Amino acid sequence: MSRSRPPFRADQVGSLLRPAVIKEARARLHAGTETVDELHRVEDQEIRRIIRKQEEIGLQSVTDGEFRRSWWHFDFLKGLDGVEGFEAQAGIQFHGVQTRAEGVRVTGRIGFSGHPMLEHFKFLKANTKATAKMTIPSPSVLHFRGGRKEISTAVYPQLDGFFDDLARTYKKVVKAFYDAGCRYLQFDDTVWAYLCSKEQLQLARDRGEEVEKLPRIYADVINYAIADRPHDMVITTHVCRGNFRSTWVSEGGYEPVAERLLAGIDYDGYFLEYDTERAGGFEPLRFLPKGKKIVVLGLVTSKSGTLESADAVKRRIEEASKFVPLDQLALSPQCGFASTEEGNLLAEEEQWAKLAMIVDISREVWG
């Protein structure tokens, strides 16, 4: 039951804790005492180091830890045509804490004419013999957080035109990463979890969104974007309820979106948060079609350094297998370890211990 095609039985979401040397180099750059080239040399060195570590642990897919990014989403979105970053009035509100006050907005027609992260991926692929995995935010992320107010009405008087351009843009994104050698691409997407949260839905209504229409719109955009991917390219998604400094945004089980997400979108795999009761039970997994699709159970938390009981994790896998055949399941952390450069509240050695345990459990469960 081992897999040679991603997602793998033991897999990971993407981001890893930033080492102090990268944080220090970036601080020097902002202070004007270091050049961009000097920062890139430090990043290159540290990415090579964590590639080796991932390979030593036994992971079949490796990432660059998102070491060249500050945010899991904004850094990519700002590289699209028509999108710019800005200083917001307030940060994103997590449970008991806010992020830095930054955001993105649409000021021109959305498009794709190249992106620095293509080179980031090429560096990763050139430095590993494992499967190089690239993570980018889902197209839905560009719309949901800011909504209508962060999309120029002069450029897009009607949002239909925005969503059409967004779908076409991401189709180009998929092709560009394929042409760069990427065969394992992931759309990170908090939005589907927010659509399961009564609080987040109300906040969206308050800013003028017709939330009942959003699942279909997002599904159509994503399906258009990934429809023409070559047969040897795997595209997955990761869904979680927020991850900043070990805190969270939303809660609520997957039931409201499960059928459309699992059966209605043509993803190859789904990394789903399942480390706390906030994610609900495994019952919504019954909508996963029988066949090739894989659900990667995020049973190991990235928010705490405490190592889970391997037996408890295996019992939860067994529970999930009541709704999905075991050969359509895999295991990972519930999220990355550093969705932003600040990182979660655990030590690097605790991060590696969790990833190593996932590999060990997967070998016991799937062979």
Side-chain angles (χ1 to χ4, degrees):
M1 295 177 74
S2 61
R3 289 178 57 81
S4 58
R5 178 180 172 90
F8 300 107
R9 298 301 184 191
D11 217 313
Q12 61 175 316
V13 171
S15 65
L16 298 168
L17 293 169
R18 312 298 197 270
V21 290
I22 285 185
K23 293 183 178 182
E24 292 162 1
R26 191 156 290 145
R28 291 193 298 271
L29 177 68
H30 292 161
T33 60
E34 182 157 329
T35 67
V36 171
D37 286 345
E38 288 169 334
L39 171 62
H40 288 171
R41 280 195 288 273
V42 174
E43 290 171 341
D44 290 352
Q45 169 189 304
E46 290 303 301
I47 289 170
R48 288 190 184 100
R49 179 182 65 84
I50 58 117
I51 287 172
R52 299 287 90 76
K53 186 67 176 178
Q54 292 169 82
E55 292 171 341
E56 290 168 6
I57 285 172
L59 289 168
Q60 291 174 266
S61 71
V62 303
T63 76
D64 65 1
E66 300 178 7
F67 277 11
R68 303 189 199 274
R69 308 184 205 182
S70 176
W71 302 83
W72 66 274
H73 50 353
F74 291 157
D75 296 65
F76 178 82
L77 295 173
K78 287 187 292 186
L80 298 177
D81 301 341
V83 181
E84 67 175 23
F86 70 98
E87 186 175 332
Q89 292 183 339
I92 301 168
Q93 185 63 54
F94 279 70
H95 192 70
V97 65
Q98 277 192 0
T99 66
R100 284 169 281 136
E102 298 180 27
V104 294
R105 59 191 171 200
V106 176
T107 58
R109 189 165 179 181
I110 301 292
F112 182 82
S113 55
H115 203 289
M117 289 188 185
L118 294 169
E119 294 303 317
H120 299 175
F121 174 79
K122 289 178 183 178
F123 180 88
L124 171 65
K125 184 175 176 61
N127 283 276
T128 183
K129 295 179 180 178
T131 299
K133 177 180 182 178
M134 185 66 189
T135 60
I136 60 173
S138 173
S140 54
V141 175
L142 183 59
H143 172 260
F144 186 83
R145 175 55 59 188
R148 170 77 267 190
K149 70 182 179 66
E150 301 301 352
I151 300 171
S152 168
T153 54
V155 179
Y156 293 110
Q158 303 296 325
L159 283 181
D160 287 351
F162 164 78
F163 286 119
D164 288 346
D165 282 353
L166 185 62
R168 285 191 286 265
T169 294
Y170 264 78
K171 183 183 287 286
K172 292 178 180 178
V173 168
V174 169
K175 183 179 186 304
F177 275 106
Y178 184 86
D179 290 345
C182 180
R183 299 297 181 266
Y184 189 6
L185 182 65
Q186 180 171 292
F187 286 5
D188 290 329
D189 201 337
T190 53
V191 174
W192 291 96
Y194 294 168
L195 294 174
C196 300
S197 162
K198 293 180 180 179
E199 179 184 16
Q200 290 299 313
L201 287 174
Q202 188 56 52
L203 289 172
R205 290 189 186 99
D206 292 345
R207 58 180 181 261
E209 299 299 333
E210 297 181 87
V211 295
E212 292 77 13
K213 296 181 179 179
L214 293 180
R216 177 192 58 78
I217 291 172
Y218 293 153
D220 287 348
V221 169
I222 293 166
N223 277 333
Y224 182 89
I226 67 178
D228 294 336
R229 68 188 183 276
H231 68 89
D232 60 338
M233 186 182 202
V234 168
I235 300 183
T236 61
T237 191
H238 164 244
V239 178
C240 81
R241 289 154 183 76
N243 188 51
F244 173 71
R245 300 293 288 163
S246 294
T247 60
W248 49 277
V249 172
S250 67
E251 53 189 324
Y254 295 100
E255 190 70 27
V257 302
E259 186 169 10
R260 189 178 297 275
L261 177 63
L262 299 176
I265 302 181
D266 192 28
Y267 282 127
D268 297 296
Y270 303 84
F271 286 72
L272 300 182
E273 173 184 335
Y274 266 119
D275 64 325
T276 71
E277 293 180 356
R278 288 193 298 273
F282 295 123
E283 291 82 0
L285 299 184
R286 70 188 183 278
F287 290 110
L288 187 78
K290 298 266 192 303
K292 296 180 179 180
K293 288 192 174 195
I294 301 292
V295 165
V296 187
L297 300 170
L299 298 173
V300 175
T301 190
S302 69
K303 297 182 187 292
S304 161
T306 303
L307 198 62
E308 286 82 353
S309 157
D311 286 340
V313 172
K314 286 185 282 187
R315 282 195 296 272
R316 296 209 67 202
I317 295 171
E318 185 178 1
E319 291 173 21
S321 70
K322 297 175 183 176
F323 302 96
V324 178
L326 186 61
D327 66 357
Q328 285 185 258
L329 293 173
L331 179 64
S332 77
Q334 115 283 345
C335 194
F337 292 89
S339 298
T340 68
E341 61 185 322
E342 289 87 353
N344 283 346
L345 305 182
L346 73 164
E348 188 174 338
E349 57 268 23
E350 293 172 326
Q351 164 189 271
W352 296 123
K354 284 175 177 278
L355 290 170
M357 182 184 71
I358 287 168
V359 173
D360 290 342
I361 291 174
S362 73
R363 287 171 177 163
E364 292 182 36
V365 173
W366 291 281

